[in-house]
């Protein structure tokens, strides 16, 4: 379908609404991102954002930027997309500035693509970590590890573990992932010290978040969560043993994003907290 976006008309920056799912889907497809409508529905349900339109109420958009509040003291920013016909005209900067104004004083974290990083650096974000996007067709599964599936009754404990690793509470996300995916935990005395979530995403399955006390536990959780077919996982580049195991299982690196932060992210200096070794999604951290 031909784009209805005009290459030079001025745009309005308006709040993103649940009815913008189709516009969000079109923008994601325009830059060849893999999200299914269900993946975008999850992002819309938990987040807020701004959309650039040529006319108020238009059902197509020239660009979007989203953010997700995590408790009162943290936020992630993502799904920043400008229609390729409208890039380089300042729309991305306007959208991100509007979202930063909406976010207010909370510290903000994001995962920057190569295209987005220069804009975020200009807006005061500094790089803190690198995540490697691994994906591929898995055809041989490792011998079954002794993990088990988490029970719904563990939701609060899993939420607390995720919050300790992430630095801010994400119970709404954890509950949604419990409903849509599978939480694999090691069969150690409760409460669990780590988990790997697998859910449908994009072209196949996605593993993440992956939280563990160390890489050995992370590898056991990864192996427990793995299935045959197309699998994606975005791994902390510092976790070299985990990254090597992911590669060996058939998921090679297809892209790299730089995690950037603006402000002081809660708990970032605490070495005793569990490690967040794979992302829930690049947009969610
Ligand atoms: C990233 C993206 C949203 C930027 O949107 P845009 O409307 O083209 O960006 P703008 O025109 O507002 O330009 C943003 C700023 O980045 C600067 N910039 C862009 N590419 C740059 C580069 N390679 N080096 C230095 N600066 C660069 C621009 O000069 C501009 O700076 P200025 O405002 O000080 O003049 C757009 O390229 C896009 O949708 N890319 C594909 C999806 C994507 O990767 N999104 C980012 C996810 S993190």
């Amino acid at each position: 379908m031909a784009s209805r976006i005009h290459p030079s008309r001025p745009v309005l920056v308006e709040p993103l609404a649940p009815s913008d799912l189709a516009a969000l889907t079109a923008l994601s497809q325009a830059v060849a991102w893999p999200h299914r409508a269900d993946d975008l529905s999850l992002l819309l349900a938990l987040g807020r954002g701004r959309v650039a339109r040529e006319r108020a109420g238009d059902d197509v958009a020239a660009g979007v930027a989203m953010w997700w509040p995590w408790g009162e003291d943290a936020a992630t920013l993502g799904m920043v997309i400008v229609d390729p016909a409208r890039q380089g005209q300042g729309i991305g900067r306007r959208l991100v500035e509007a979202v930063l104004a909406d976010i207010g004083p909370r510290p903000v974290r994001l995962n920057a693509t190569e295209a987005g990083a220069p804009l975020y650096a200009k807006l005061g974000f500094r790089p803190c970590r690198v995540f490697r996007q691994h994906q591929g067709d898995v055809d041989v599964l490792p011998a079954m590890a002794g993990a088990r599936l988490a029970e719904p009754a563990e939701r609060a404990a899993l939420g607390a573990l995720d919050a300790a690793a992430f630095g801010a509470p994400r119970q709404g996300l954890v509950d949604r992932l419990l409903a849509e995916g599978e939480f694999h935990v090691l069969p150690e005395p409760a409460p669990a010290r780590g988990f790997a979530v697998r859910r449908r995403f994009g072209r196949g399955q996605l593993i993440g978040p992956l939280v563990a006390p160390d890489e050995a536990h992370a590898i056991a959780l990864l192996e427990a969560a793995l299935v045959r077919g197309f699998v994606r996982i975005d791994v902390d580049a510092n976790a070299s043993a985990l990254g090597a195991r992911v590669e060996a299982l058939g998921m090679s690196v297809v892209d790299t994003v730089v995690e950037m932060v603006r402000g002081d992210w809660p708990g970032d200096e605490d070495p005793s907290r569990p490690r967040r070794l794979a992302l829930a999604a690049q947009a969610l951290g």
Side-chain angles (χ1 to χ4, degrees):
M1 193 176 73
S3 170
R4 281 165 52 206
I5 295 295
H6 190 279
S8 59
R9 221 173 255 160
V11 292
L12 309 164
V13 170
E14 299 188 318
L16 184 70
S19 54
D20 284 318
L21 178 62
L24 195 56
T25 307
L27 284 167
S28 169
Q29 287 171 354
V31 294
W33 284 4
H35 304 79
R36 302 166 306 138
D38 284 351
D39 304 326
L40 297 170
S41 292
L42 181 146
L43 296 176
L44 264 176
L46 298 173
R48 307 174 196 177
R50 293 273 172 170
V51 62
R53 307 184 206 277
E54 292 175 355
R55 281 168 299 264
D58 248 1
D59 58 356
V60 292
V64 66
M66 292 189 71
W67 69 283
W68 294 268
W70 303 119
E72 295 303 314
D73 301 316
T76 51
L77 193 160
M79 287 308 292
V80 180
I81 306 172
V82 172
D83 187 286
R86 301 289 320 242
Q87 290 177 9
Q89 300 174 17
I91 296 173
R93 180 189 263 270
R94 272 181 66 195
L95 285 165
V96 174
E97 283 176 342
V99 159
L100 289 174
D102 293 343
I103 292 173
R106 299 166 193 250
V108 188
R109 216 158 57 179
L110 57 79
N111 286 295
T113 59
E114 212 182 328
L119 170 62
Y120 304 128
K122 286 182 189 192
L123 294 172
F125 285 87
R126 50 185 203 285
C128 48
R129 277 178 210 89
V130 169
F131 283 88
R132 295 200 181 109
Q133 179 181 338
H134 289 255
Q135 62 192 42
D137 283 307
V138 173
D139 17 78
V140 180
L141 293 180
M144 248 334 263
R148 64 176 175 85
L149 287 179
E151 307 286 336
E154 290 172 275
R155 63 173 282 278
L158 294 168
L161 189 55
D162 179 72
F166 180 72
R170 298 196 292 185
Q171 192 67 52
L173 173 64
V174 168
D175 289 346
R176 191 85 191 220
L177 296 178
L178 271 166
E180 291 186 13
E182 287 181 354
F183 271 71
H184 296 260
V185 295
L186 294 170
E188 55 204 352
R193 288 165 64 220
F195 62 79
V197 182
R198 177 169 51 75
R199 70 180 193 277
R200 281 208 63 197
F201 177 90
R203 292 170 55 193
Q205 300 280 320
L206 182 142
I207 297 178
L210 171 52
V211 168
D214 53 47
E215 287 190 63
H217 284 88
I219 289 171
L221 287 164
L222 160 79
E223 294 184 353
L226 204 58
V227 280
R228 285 196 182 81
F230 184 86
V231 182
R232 167 176 172 172
I233 178 169
D234 295 68
V235 179
D236 183 338
N238 284 322
S240 47
L242 175 62
R245 188 68 187 126
V246 167
E247 287 262 4
L249 287 165
M251 292 155 281
S252 38
V253 179
V254 296
D255 201 1
T256 293
V257 287
V258 179
E259 186 176 70
M260 301 178 86
V261 68
R262 191 180 197 244
D264 294 323
W265 190 262
D268 237 3
E269 304 304 321
D270 177 3
S272 68
R273 65 189 194 154
R275 294 178 67 186
R276 178 190 51 128
L277 293 165
L279 301 173
Q282 290 184 0
L284 303 174

